[in-house]
């Protein structure tokens, strides 16, 4: 078994811990920035913030260690940054695939991707680093999903769709074939996207329309 530290101590940590052991990992510590968070795994020590992380690293000493950002929602940037911190300390970032998920042999999964139960990743699809494909979400053939994206539970992404970095596709949303979603955009729950969306917008509805913008994309 490989020792795994999870940064995040709420729902996503519980989800990952539930099947990490079947993937050959043993959760040895949780890190969270919120000092008020209740430990979701009573037998696993919880450390708070950067200071807590440094304390854990001192106590652990040497030896191989794996780490993953257990943070869902619209916090893709946090996942990317945490993975960068882990890598800077020599911690290996795994890619976790639930045993009840389907990933085509030709699909490509980035470092730190999390593919949850009953999710589908189709032929020649590409999933970026630190991306979550959540419970029962479907990514069809030839899709290109950027880094730090979250495809929420039950979302359907049809063939040859592109989703830019750090975007969030809400629960039950449908992206029709060949649409492009810009970087850092949000698609509301249950929406049907029938046309391209630019960077940094909030869009929802059936069909989805842009409801708000968030200024220029980050460099």
């Amino acid at each position: 078994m490989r020792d795994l530290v999870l940064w995040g101590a709420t729902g996503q940590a519980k989800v990952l811990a539930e099947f990490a052991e079947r993937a050959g990992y043993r959760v040895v510590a949780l890190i969270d920035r919120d000092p008020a968070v209740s430990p979701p795994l009573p037998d696993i020590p919880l450390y708070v913030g950067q200071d807590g992380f440094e304390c854990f690293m001192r106590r652990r000493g040497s030896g191989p260690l794996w780490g993953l950002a257990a943070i869902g929602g619209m916090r893709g940037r946090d996942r990317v940054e945490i993975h960068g911190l882990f890598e800077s300390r020599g911690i290996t970032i795994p890619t976790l695939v639930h045993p009840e998920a389907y990933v085509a042999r030709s699909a490509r999964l980035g470092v730190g991707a999390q593919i949850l139960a009953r999710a589908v990743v189709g032929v020649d699809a590409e999933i970026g680093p630190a991306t979550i494909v959540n419970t029962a979400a479907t990514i069809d053939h030839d899709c290109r999903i950027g880094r730090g994206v979250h495809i929420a539970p039950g979302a359907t992404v049809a063939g040859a769709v592109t989703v830019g970095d750090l975007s969030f596709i809400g629960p039950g949303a449908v992206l029709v074939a060949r649409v492009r979603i810009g970087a850092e955009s949000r698609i509301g729950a249950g929406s049907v996207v029938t046309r391209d969306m630019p960077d940094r917008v909030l869009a929802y509805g059936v069909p989805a329309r842009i409801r708000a913008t968030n200024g220029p994309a980050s460099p």
Side-chain angles (χ1 to χ4, degrees):
M1 298 290 285
R2 292 164 286 187
D3 289 353
L4 176 67
V5 57
L6 297 177
W7 192 303
T10 54
Q12 191 71 9
K14 291 194 290 185
V15 170
L16 294 178
E18 189 274 331
F19 72 91
E21 185 172 349
R22 285 184 279 175
Y25 297 92
R26 174 180 53 239
V27 178
V28 296
L30 299 171
I31 316 291
D32 201 285
R33 292 190 175 113
D34 183 358
V37 71
S38 297
L41 304 172
D43 298 329
I44 306 301
L46 172 64
Y47 298 84
V48 177
Q50 184 70 35
D51 289 344
F53 172 66
E54 298 298 338
C55 177
F56 163 71
M57 293 298 288
R58 288 194 299 271
R59 290 181 177 180
R60 175 174 174 77
S62 60
L65 181 63
W66 284 257
L68 199 59
I71 300 173
M74 293 176 280
R75 297 177 60 188
R77 188 178 299 280
D78 288 344
R79 290 194 298 277
V80 170
E81 291 176 353
I82 289 165
H83 287 175
L85 171 63
F86 281 165
E87 289 177 327
S88 74
R89 301 298 296 272
I91 298 172
T92 303
I93 311 300
T95 297
L96 284 186
V97 178
H98 195 284
E100 295 176 9
Y102 170 77
V103 177
R105 287 180 294 178
S106 60
R108 297 174 295 283
L109 305 181
V111 173
Q114 303 167 27
I115 314 298
L116 273 55
R118 296 189 290 113
V120 173
V121 180
V123 173
D124 288 331
E126 183 175 328
I127 307 298
T131 281
I132 298 172
V133 182
N134 218 313
T135 307
T138 300
I139 309 295
D140 216 325
H141 65 90
D142 297 299
C143 287
R144 298 292 178 265
I145 310 299
R147 67 186 176 96
V149 171
H150 186 171
I151 309 295
T156 298
V157 181
V161 167
T162 299
V163 179
D165 293 348
L166 308 178
S167 286
F168 175 80
I169 310 301
V174 175
L175 310 186
V176 304
R178 297 180 179 79
V179 298
R180 299 178 63 89
I181 307 298
E184 301 183 69
S185 286
R186 293 176 289 158
I187 305 300
S191 298
V192 178
V193 180
T194 59
R195 62 186 179 89
D196 293 356
M197 295 290 169
D199 294 347
R200 294 181 61 82
V201 299
L202 167 64
Y204 57 86
V206 181
R209 293 185 173 85
I210 296 172
R211 312 291 178 161
T213 60
N214 297 311
S218 301

